[in-house]
């Protein structure tokens, strides 16, 4: 019996033009890597003195005192309060945004009629692209008076809960307001990630649930929601990253006070991004270095959050 | 012994899942009753205004839906409860959206006068009467910076997508991952980076610096959208091109990219929409400026900075100007989005 022909090794030999082309495209594609490295490198380079002078206390302390502008050794700088503020406002935002995002995603994907579904998906993209300065001005002018009223009421009846108490009854530009505004801003992105994951839920399992006499809600509860859980976590973390890096909207709706403040209704707080925007204008040379260092911390924190978010989202997409 | 009788009668096809008139009637009744409850709540308690009424409605609707159907059993009742909850929550989400558009239009249109789009603020203080001054300088500045940013970011973004989809190189996964990571860079950090490099090294704020900070924010959007578009190009086209002896470079530039030209324009437009309203990086790179300028090496005005700096003044007329700028900016974003939709629908028709 004749043996089958030996398997040939197939190899691709690119022409010289193609080799140049492939090298060129690869170089251009690595631009994002270069930029990310350069960002970290330059912010570290400009802010290195601060880390050398203050060490870990730059991250933990919450004093921001430039001392004598002529003499940098008198300065005491720390972004502890701002980091707490970033996390607190972003956390409030997630707390409000996630339940509404789940409901919106379910509504768009499973309850809305087909013509409305396409329309709402487009609207979601559009709302996600509304500039943050417009959210900021709206939050400052429209939302602020409303939230002030709600804060007074909350404080009146719930001030025995520590986070709803205030030391001085000034309620205006509080972490609560900023968090609520951030929730409105990140809702579109969380919703679209959730919707995308929900839309990939296995149709046959949903149909099986119907076939067993289950209602629509039974199908959603037993199939879609568990299926989309990890995608939702990823979307929420994506929103968390956005909320922590938001500048202008927080600048306009949160009073910059260098104090670790967990009283969400009190008019004091700040986040790292708004600190940079706030102090940049009239910063001394030394303070500017501190802002660079603060920028580096913010960059690394958001990078970490986004990194984890993309791992989770990608894993959720891959299951399908 | 049982005999089975076969008949020719075929039962008329029914669609038991179709909505019947009673379903619609029930929904309307539910909404009306809840609305009445909300109204009652606003008149009897401290809750007031539209939001107070909506809270009443939102509480009443799921409860009424549940109570109304609980006699048919737990399953149906919980289903109706969930339906009400989801609808009420989604409607609540749209309230801020509507409010933003309506407020921007109402307050912004007050700032408009016949020469609002063609005048600048060179001789007009922000607190001046509303019939003077305008946003021309800001529009020109934004236009210049966005055009420069697009000229850099669009080719780079498309090439990154080409690397992932066409070349499928060794680092394809990494490039996609890094682009995703880059989209999470806070806009203020992008500004700070350009400040730490371009602004410090080349002596001061400039349109260049502003545009470069926008490149960082625009690139991920362009790369992601182009990648999705590139993926829909059928492999037959590529194979046909290779079969005719074309190189990969020629295939990419003469076959693949022209096929999805409108998709690439969509990617560019979405990228522009993403950065046209960016404020934070421009505070650190192109700075405030009131007069018209087309020089790339000088500080330049822009729409977001116009809004931001007018708002910071606390004066009534200045605030109205900020709303006027917001209306222009929101209009620009809406137009860009409409453009992207039209272009991408043309692509899908192909």
């Amino acid at each position: 019996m004749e043996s089958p022909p030996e398997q040939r090794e197939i190899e691709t030999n690119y022409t010289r033009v193609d080799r140049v082309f492939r090298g060129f495209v690869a170089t251009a594609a690595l631009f994002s890597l270069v930029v990310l490295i350069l960002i970290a490198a330059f912010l570290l380079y400009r802010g290195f003195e601060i880390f050398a002078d203050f060490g870990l206390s730059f991250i933990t302390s919450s004093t921001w005192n430039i001392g004598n502008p002529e003499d940098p050794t008198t300065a005491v700088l720390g972004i502890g309060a701002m980091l707490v503020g970033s996390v607190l406002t972003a956390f409030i935002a997630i707390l409000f945004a996630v339940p509404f995002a789940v409901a919106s995603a379910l509504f768009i994907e499973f309850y809305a009629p087909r013509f409305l579904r396409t329309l709402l998906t487009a609207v979601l993209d559009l709302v996600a692209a509304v500039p943050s300065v417009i959210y900021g001005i709206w939050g400052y002018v429209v939302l602020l008076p409303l939230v002030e009223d709600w804060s007074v009421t909350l404080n009146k009846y719930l001030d025995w809960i520590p986070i709803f108490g205030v030391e001085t009854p000034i309620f205006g530009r509080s972490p609560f307001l900023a968090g609520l505004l951030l929730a409105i801003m990140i809702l579109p992105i969380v919703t679209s990630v959730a919707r995308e994951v929900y839309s990939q839920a296995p149709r046959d399992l949903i149909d099986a649930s119907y076939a067993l006499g289950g209602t629509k809600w039974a199908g959603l509860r037993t199939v879609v929601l568990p299926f989309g859980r990890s995608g939702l976590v990823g979307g929420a973390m994506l929103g968390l990253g956005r909320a922590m890096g938001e500048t202008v909207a927080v600048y306009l709706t949160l009073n910059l006070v260098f104090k670790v403040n967990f009283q969400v209704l009190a008019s004091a707080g700040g986040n790292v991004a708004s600190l940079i925007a706030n102090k940049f204008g009239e910063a001394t040379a030394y303070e500017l270095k501190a802002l660079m260092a603060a920028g580096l911390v913010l960059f690394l924190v958001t990078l970490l959050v986004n990194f984890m978010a993309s791992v989770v989202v990608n894993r959720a997409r891959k299951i399908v | 012994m049982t005999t089975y009788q076969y008949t020719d009668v075929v039962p008329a096809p029914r669609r038991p899942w179709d909505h019947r008139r009673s379903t619609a009637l029930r929904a309307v009744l539910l909404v009306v009753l809840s609305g009445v409850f909300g109204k009652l709540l606003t008149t009897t308690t401290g809750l007031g205004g539209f939001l107070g009424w909506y809270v009443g409605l939102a509480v009443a609707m799921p409860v009424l839906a549940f109570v109304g159907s609980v006699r048919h059993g737990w399953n149906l009742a919980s289903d109706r409860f969930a339906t009400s909850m989801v609808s009420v929550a989604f409607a609540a989400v749209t309230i801020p959206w509507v409010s933003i558009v309506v407020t921007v239009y109402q307050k912004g249109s007050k700032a408009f006068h016949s020469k609002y789009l063609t005048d600048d603020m060179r001789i007009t203080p922000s607190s001046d009467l509303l019939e003077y001054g305008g946003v021309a300088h800001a529009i020109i500045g934004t236009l210049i910076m966005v055009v420069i940013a697009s000229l850099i970011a669009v080719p780079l973004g498309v090439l990154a997508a080409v690397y992932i989809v066409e070349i499928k190189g060794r680092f394809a996964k990494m490039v996609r991952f890094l682009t995703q990571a880059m989209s999470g860079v806070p806009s203020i950090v992008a500004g700070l980076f350009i400040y730490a490099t371009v602004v410090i090294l080349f002596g001061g704020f400039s349109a260049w610096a502003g545009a470069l900070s926008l490149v960082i924010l625009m690139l991920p959007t362009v790369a992601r959208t182009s990648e999705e578009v590139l993926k829909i190009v059928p492999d037959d086209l590529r194979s046909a091109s290779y079969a005719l002896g074309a190189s990969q470079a020629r295939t990419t530039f003469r076959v693949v990219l022209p096929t999805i030209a409108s998709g690439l324009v969509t990617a560019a437009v979405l990228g522009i929409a993403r950065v046209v309203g960016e404020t934070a990086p421009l505070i650190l790179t192109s700075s405030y400026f009131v007069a018209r300028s087309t020089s790339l090496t000088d500080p330049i005005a822009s729409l977001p900075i116009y809004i931001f700096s007018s708002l910071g003044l606390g004066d009534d007329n200045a605030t109205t100007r900020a709303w006027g700028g917001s209306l222009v900016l929101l209009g620009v974003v809406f137009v860009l989005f409409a453009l992207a939709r039209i272009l991408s629908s043309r692509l899908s028709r192909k």
Side-chain angles (χ1 to χ4, degrees):
Chain A
M1 202 172 93
E2 210 173 316
S3 63
E6 212 167 287
Q7 202 170 8
R8 270 194 309 150
E9 190 84 7
I10 297 180
E11 54 184 41
T12 321
N13 285 320
Y14 291 107
T15 61
R16 194 184 309 147
V17 176
D18 269 353
R19 279 203 296 275
V20 171
F21 164 72
R22 290 170 72 88
F24 171 69
V25 175
T27 318
L30 289 176
F31 179 77
S32 50
L33 177 67
V34 174
V35 166
L36 288 175
I37 291 174
L38 280 182
I39 291 178
F42 264 90
L43 293 183
L44 184 63
Y45 165 65
R46 302 272 180 210
F48 186 74
E49 208 182 323
I50 299 295
F51 290 117
D53 287 357
F54 295 105
L56 214 57
S57 83
F58 179 67
I59 293 171
T60 52
S61 133
S62 39
T63 328
W64 192 272
N65 186 356
I66 51 170
N68 179 2
E70 306 296 321
D71 181 14
T73 51
T74 57
V76 181
L77 303 171
I79 54 168
M82 297 299 113
L83 277 174
V84 170
S86 298
V87 174
L88 180 67
T89 48
F91 182 71
I92 295 174
I94 289 293
L95 213 61
F96 281 107
V98 167
F100 282 98
V102 171
S104 309
L106 288 180
F107 181 84
I108 294 174
E109 196 57 36
F110 295 100
Y111 287 95
R114 185 165 301 170
F115 76 97
L116 209 57
R117 192 186 311 164
T118 9
L119 180 76
L120 288 175
T121 318
V123 167
L124 216 53
D125 289 343
L126 179 62
V127 178
V130 169
S132 58
V133 68
I134 291 182
Y135 278 109
I137 182 175
W138 178 81
Y140 182 69
V141 175
V142 178
L143 200 58
L144 174 62
L146 286 172
V147 170
E148 222 170 342
D149 280 354
W150 302 341
S151 300
V152 171
T153 316
L154 270 175
N155 179 249
K156 196 164 136 197
Y157 296 107
L158 294 176
D159 67 342
W160 46 273
I161 302 174
I163 57 164
F164 291 128
V166 287
E167 274 156 29
T168 43
I170 303 170
F171 296 99
R173 306 198 297 156
S174 60
F176 179 47
L177 171 65
L180 205 57
L181 184 61
L182 286 175
I184 294 171
M185 292 174 71
I186 62 171
L187 191 116
I189 176 120
V190 185
T191 306
S192 36
V193 173
R195 192 199 64 79
E196 204 195 318
V197 177
Y198 289 163
S199 73
Q200 293 167 343
R203 194 70 233 183
D204 47 351
L205 289 187
I206 303 175
D207 290 344
S209 152
Y210 277 126
L212 290 171
T215 56
K216 186 176 220 164
W217 173 240
L220 296 184
R221 188 171 55 85
T222 54
V223 179
V224 176
L225 288 182
F227 176 84
R229 193 173 294 142
S230 63
L232 179 68
V233 171
M237 281 168 62
L238 223 53
L240 190 73
R242 290 280 162 87
M244 282 169 66
E246 177 50 46
T247 314
V248 178
V250 175
Y251 177 95
L252 291 171
T253 54
L254 189 51
N255 233 2
L256 191 72
V257 177
F258 287 93
K259 192 186 88 177
V260 175
N261 174 29
F262 285 107
Q263 299 177 329
V264 295
L265 304 179
S267 191
N271 75 357
V272 181
S274 73
L275 164 84
I276 297 171
N278 203 311
K279 294 286 177 189
F280 179 79
E282 53 254 10
T284 61
Y286 191 69
E287 203 180 1
L288 207 53
K289 286 179 185 153
L291 294 182
M292 298 287 177
L296 179 64
V297 173
L298 176 64
F299 175 65
L300 294 179
V301 170
T302 46
L303 207 60
L304 184 71
V305 170
N306 276 295
F307 173 78
M308 293 194 292
S310 8
V311 170
V312 175
V313 171
N314 286 344
R315 192 177 300 160
R317 283 207 185 110
K318 226 170 276 165
I319 292 172
V320 192
Chain B
M1 211 164 123
T2 331
T3 51
Y4 290 99
Q5 277 222 315
Y6 294 93
T7 58
D8 295 337
V9 182
V10 181
R14 286 188 308 152
R15 307 213 292 175
W17 57 86
D18 259 3
H19 289 300
R20 276 175 301 171
R21 196 171 294 157
S22 63
T23 322
L25 198 68
R26 201 177 55 227
V28 169
L29 189 69
L30 185 62
V31 173
V32 168
L33 273 179
S34 315
V36 170
F37 178 80
K39 193 76 206 158
L40 277 177
L41 208 65
T42 50
T43 47
T44 52
T45 65
L47 289 169
F50 171 77
L51 283 179
W53 172 77
Y54 190 77
V55 168
L57 180 143
V59 172
M61 216 163 109
V63 173
L64 283 178
F66 188 85
V67 170
S69 54
V70 77
R71 65 200 147 92
H72 298 299
W74 175 260
N75 283 337
L76 186 72
S78 64
D79 182 54
R80 298 238 170 107
F81 180 80
T83 306
S84 300
M85 280 294 268
V86 166
S87 317
V88 162
F90 178 73
V93 162
T94 60
I95 293 175
W97 301 352
V98 174
S99 169
I100 288 171
V101 174
V102 170
T103 323
V104 167
Y105 178 75
Q106 277 178 350
K107 302 210 181 219
S109 51
K110 287 201 190 100
F112 269 68
H113 56 91
S114 56
K115 283 156 89 181
Y116 188 67
L117 293 176
T118 51
D119 262 356
D120 55 40
M121 304 294 284
R122 191 166 56 87
I123 49 165
T124 321
S126 287
S127 53
D128 206 349
L129 292 177
L130 289 172
E131 58 258 37
Y132 304 111
V135 287
H137 62 305
I139 293 176
I140 293 171
T142 291
L143 196 69
I144 288 176
M145 283 192 280
V146 165
V147 167
I148 297 175
S150 318
L151 288 179
I152 302 171
V154 171
L156 281 174
V158 172
L159 284 179
V162 166
Y163 183 76
I164 295 171
V165 181
E166 296 297 317
I167 295 203
K168 300 192 181 76
R170 207 176 322 154
F171 306 113
K173 263 194 182 146
M174 193 183 81
V175 168
R176 182 190 290 136
F177 192 77
L178 285 172
T179 323
Q180 261 179 15
M182 204 167 159
S183 74
V185 171
S187 55
I188 188 108
V189 171
L192 212 52
F193 166 62
I194 297 298
Y195 180 83
T197 51
V198 179
V199 174
I200 291 184
L201 296 178
F202 294 97
F205 296 140
S206 63
W208 263 116
L212 287 177
S213 68
L214 296 184
V215 168
I216 299 176
L217 301 166
M218 189 172 173
L219 183 88
T221 312
V222 177
R224 233 201 89 144
T225 320
S226 325
E227 188 196 327
E228 313 232 308
V229 182
L230 270 175
K231 274 185 190 151
I232 64 172
V233 176
D235 262 339
D236 298 355
L237 276 181
R238 296 188 186 101
S239 310
S241 170
Y242 292 141
L244 288 171
S247 65
Q248 189 176 27
R250 192 164 259 260
T251 307
T252 305
F253 287 120
R254 302 297 290 275
V255 177
V256 176
L257 294 184
T259 312
I260 49 157
S262 61
L264 296 181
V265 178
T266 307
V269 170
L270 287 179
I272 291 171
R274 163 87 173 76
V275 298
V276 73
E278 279 296 346
T279 317
L282 298 184
I283 298 174
L284 310 184
T285 52
S286 62
S287 188
Y288 319 123
F289 203 55
V290 288
R292 218 171 284 212
S293 160
T294 49
S295 157
L296 295 183
T297 49
D298 288 326
I300 200 164
S302 58
L303 271 174
I305 296 290
Y306 171 85
I307 299 169
F308 186 67
S309 51
S310 310
L311 191 65
L313 299 172
D315 177 85
D316 273 355
N317 284 343
T319 307
T320 306
R321 286 199 160 86
W323 284 107
S326 304
L327 181 55
V328 176
L329 186 56
L330 202 59
V332 169
V333 173
F334 279 20
V335 167
L336 285 174
F337 250 84
L339 204 64
R341 295 293 298 180
I342 294 169
L343 284 169
S344 63
S345 72
R346 182 180 301 169
L347 181 75
S348 60
R349 230 180 292 137
K350 256 188 209 164

